[in-house]
């Protein structure tokens, strides 16, 4: 791509304006995500994500705990948005993802956060849980570009997405950091109130890979463009690891960067469910690693018992602190 970050060209040729208009039109009736709640968010009506017209932000910060090519040495400029289009009963960020802690911010205010993170020296702008407020984010992005934003965007998603919406982001997003949380729709419904999650998730992931078919990591170890798939291992094979890894092997590539995450803890309402009311056992995580290896998925990260990550065969002392 001749212009980097990608959004600069879309800003210059008018494509970003077109996408903003298209997405704003989908706020009434709302059809931004697979839920298609149909409420009029322009007038402040609330659907599943409990978010009206303005975005809510819990915090923004320089984050050192993401995968090494995302955090690098200077950190990832992370914006934690409140509320979510999923309802995970075990979410470790439940205070703001499920209970809505945070505050409404204006579009110019959100743009200001992006510029402040760039000023801190962060490698990128990391948008955590962006799905339900994508129109607002892109509107703020336009303001930030005019103000001098020049670092790439990381679309850090739980993965419950419409492939058609992801398709609109071609030429805007350079880095996708996407969950593949479940391989079984019964589990996604039970634990995240997300019907047909695997179907929507897989189609969205395929679209992300179509847009960015090759990962680009610079000599400095920082990702410029690419796709990283996160898979959180949940007790009693709730996450359906074999199905997820088989999909990656069959539909994507064995070169895919996969982050196999072991930090599950029974937060929020997980204590009420006998299957997931405990920490992950070492054997459960080892079983997940064996599945990953069975399908030849050797690029990415696994975590050992000391909380270290291993990337492309190199030991890196960097602990993932959050499941974004």
């Amino acid at each position: 791509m001749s212009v980097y970050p990608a959004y600069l060209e879309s800003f210059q040729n008018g494509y970003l304006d077109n996408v903003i208009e298209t997405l704003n039109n989908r706020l009434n009736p709302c059809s931004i995500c697979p839920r298609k709640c149909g409420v009029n968010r322009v007038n402040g009506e609330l659907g599943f994500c409990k978010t009206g017209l303005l975005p809510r932000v819990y915090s923004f910060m320089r984050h050192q705990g993401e995968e090494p090519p995302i955090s690098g040495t200077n950190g990832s400029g992370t914006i934690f948005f409140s509320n979510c289009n999923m309802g995970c009963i075990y979410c470790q960020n439940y205070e703001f993802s499920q209970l809505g802690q945070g505050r409404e911010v204006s579009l110019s205010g959100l743009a200001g956060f992006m510029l402040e993170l760039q000023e801190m020296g962060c490698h990128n702008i990391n948008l955590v849980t962006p799905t339900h407020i994508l129109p607002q984010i892109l509107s703020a992005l336009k303001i930030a570009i005019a103000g001098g934003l020049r670092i790439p965007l990381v679309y850090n998603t739980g993965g419950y997405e419409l492939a058609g919406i992801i398709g609109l982001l071609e030429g805007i997003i350079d880095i996708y950091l996407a969950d593949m949380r479940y391989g079984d729709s019964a589990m996604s419904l039970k634990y995240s109130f997300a019907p047909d999650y695997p179907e929507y998730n897989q189609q969205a992931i395929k679209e992300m890979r179509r847009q960015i078919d090759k990962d680009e990591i610079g000599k400095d170890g920082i990702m410029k463009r690419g796709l990283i798939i996160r898979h959180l291992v949940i007790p009693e094979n709730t996450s359906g690891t074999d199905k997820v890894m088989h999909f990656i092997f069959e539909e994507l590539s064995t070169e895919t960067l996969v982050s196999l995450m072991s930090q599950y803890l029974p937060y929020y309402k997980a204590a009420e469910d006998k299957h997931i009311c405990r920490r992950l056992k070492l054997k459960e995580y080892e079983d997940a690693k064996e599945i990953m290896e069975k399908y030849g998925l050797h690029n990415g990260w696994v975590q050992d018992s000391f909380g270290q990550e291993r990337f492309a065969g190199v030991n890196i002392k960097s602990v993932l602190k959050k499941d974004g």
Side-chain angles (χ1 to χ4, degrees), residues 179-191:
D179 285 346
M180 292 196 74
R181 189 71 60 83
Y182 300 102
D184 186 286
S185 59
M187 295 296 100
S188 68
L189 178 60
K190 179 177 181 180
Y191 292 112

Side-chain angles (χ1 to χ4, degrees), residues 38-313:
V39 299
N40 183 350
R41 290 175 58 188
V42 175
N43 286 346
E45 293 181 10
L46 306 182
F48 185 91
C49 71
K50 300 186 289 290
T51 305
L53 182 59
L54 288 178
R56 294 181 65 87
V57 172
Y58 179 71
S59 66
F60 68 101
M61 59 181 285
R62 184 207 309 264
H63 191 14
Q64 297 285 1
E66 305 284 40
E67 285 77 357
I70 303 297
S71 287
T73 54
N74 294 342
S76 178
T78 305
I79 303 175
F80 294 98
F81 293 103
S82 303
N83 299 321
C84 184
N85 74 328
M86 295 177 67
C88 304
I89 68 169
Y90 51 83
C91 184
Q92 71 178 54
N93 295 329
Y94 69 92
E95 294 97 337
F96 56 92
S97 70
Q98 304 303 312
L99 302 183
Q101 290 184 16
R103 62 185 178 89
E104 285 191 343
V105 297
S106 65
L107 300 182
S108 60
L110 180 54
F113 297 163
M114 297 179 187
L115 292 170
E116 187 171 339
L117 291 165
Q118 178 175 259
E119 185 67 23
M120 291 179 188
C122 296
H123 299 294
N124 46 60
I125 300 298
N126 187 346
L127 306 164
V128 180
T129 320
T131 311
H132 59 298
I133 48 167
L134 184 55
Q136 297 90 331
I137 289 172
L138 296 188
S139 295
L141 172 65
K142 180 181 176 182
I143 299 170
I145 294 170
L149 188 69
R150 296 296 183 269
I151 56 177
L153 301 182
V154 178
Y155 193 82
N156 186 341
T157 172
Y160 196 37
E161 302 275 0
L162 291 172
I165 297 294
I166 296 298
L168 295 173
L169 299 179
E170 185 171 12
I172 298 173
I173 299 296
D174 280 299
I175 302 167
Y176 288 103
L177 182 56
D179 285 346
M180 292 196 74
R181 189 71 60 83
Y182 300 102
D184 186 286
S185 59
M187 295 296 100
S188 68
L189 178 60
K190 179 177 181 180
Y191 292 112
S192 294
F193 302 98
D196 301 319
Y197 175 96
E199 176 185 352
Y200 286 112
N201 178 245
Q202 290 172 13
Q203 293 304 312
I205 293 289
K206 287 169 70 173
E207 172 58 23
M208 295 173 191
R209 183 81 288 178
R210 183 199 67 77
Q211 291 177 25
I212 305 174
D213 59 359
K214 183 179 179 181
D215 301 312
E216 298 178 22
I217 298 178
K219 293 181 180 180
D220 58 358
I222 305 303
M223 177 169 275
K224 295 186 66 178
R225 302 184 77 239
L227 166 66
I228 296 173
I229 293 175
R230 285 175 163 177
H231 180 67
L232 178 67
V233 184
I234 305 174
E236 299 200 18
N237 195 33
T238 297
S239 41
T241 300
D242 193 281
K243 291 181 179 179
V244 170
M245 298 304 163
H246 180 264
F247 168 82
I248 296 171
F249 167 77
E250 191 74 24
E251 300 291 338
L252 302 179
S253 163
T254 55
E255 298 301 309
T256 304
L257 291 170
V258 179
S259 183
L260 190 69
M261 307 175 81
S262 64
Q263 70 263 38
Y264 174 85
L265 289 170
Y267 285 100
Y268 195 32
K269 299 180 179 180
E272 301 171 8
D273 186 280
K274 64 180 181 180
H275 300 291
I276 64 169
C277 62
R278 57 171 172 82
R279 300 172 68 101
L280 190 70
K281 295 178 181 177
L282 178 59
K283 185 181 185 306
E284 290 173 318
Y285 187 67
E286 293 297 323
D287 288 346
K289 287 199 291 186
E290 288 181 7
I291 292 169
M292 188 173 167
E293 292 168 1
K294 176 179 74 172
Y295 288 110
L297 302 172
H298 299 297
N299 283 341
W301 300 262
V302 295
Q303 295 173 317
D304 63 24
S305 58
F306 298 99
Q308 291 181 315
E309 298 166 304
R310 190 166 70 249
F311 175 52

Side-chain angles (χ1 to χ4, degrees), residues 28-46:
N28 178 29
C30 191
S31 57
I32 293 294
C33 84
R35 296 191 183 279
K36 297 181 180 178
C37 292
V39 299
N40 183 350
R41 290 175 58 188
V42 175
N43 286 346
E45 293 181 10
L46 306 182

